[in-house]
Amino acid sequence: LVVITPESAAELAALIKKYLEAQKASERAMEARMKLAPGSTRARSTTANANWARAAEGRDRLQEAVQRKIDAMAESVSARTTSPPVKP
């Protein structure tokens, strides 16, 4: 039996929402980088690369936070459902 509190579910939902927003931002930054003309200046290329990298790093941090939250929820459920060993 998995018991999830409303608070933990709301926290997970908020993290997932932030992750999805970060994923979209990363995709937009990647598309902007890809749209640069072949003769773009070094400054434009560097800025586009930095924007994409920053967006991707933020997305990855949120993905890890979502995974940690899921793992913590699963661990708390496991701790509640695991009984101590029976002595003979």
Side-chain angles (χ1 to χ4, degrees), residues 10-11 24-26 28 33 40 42 61 63 70 77 82:
E11 289 172 9
K24 288 179 187 176
S26 177
R28 284 191 304 269
R33 180 181 171 266
S40 294
R42 184 180 306 183
R61 279 192 300 275
Q63 182 180 21
I70 291 170
V77 168
T82 305

Side-chain angles (χ1 to χ4, degrees), residues 3-4 17 24 27 40-41 45 47 50-51 53 56 60 65 67:
V3 178
I4 299 174
K17 182 178 178 182
K24 288 179 187 176
E27 289 172 4
S40 294
T41 65
S45 297
T47 299
N51 289 341
D60 293 348
Q67 189 60 54

Side-chain angles (χ1 to χ4, degrees), residues 1-2 6 11 14 17-19 26-27 35 41 49-50 52-53 62 67 69 74 79-80 82-83 85 88:
L1 174 68
V2 176
E11 289 172 9
K17 182 178 178 182
K18 287 180 184 178
Y19 168 74
S26 177
E27 289 172 4
K35 288 180 182 178
T41 65
N49 286 337
W52 182 35
L62 284 165
Q67 189 60 54
K69 183 67 175 172
R80 280 185 261 164
T82 305
S83 57

Side-chain angles (χ1 to χ4, degrees), residues 4-18 65-66 69-70 72-73:
I4 299 174
T5 66
E7 294 81 16
S8 63
E11 289 172 9
L12 181 59
L15 279 173
I16 290 171
K17 182 178 178 182
K18 287 180 184 178
V66 167
K69 183 67 175 172
I70 291 170
M73 291 169 77

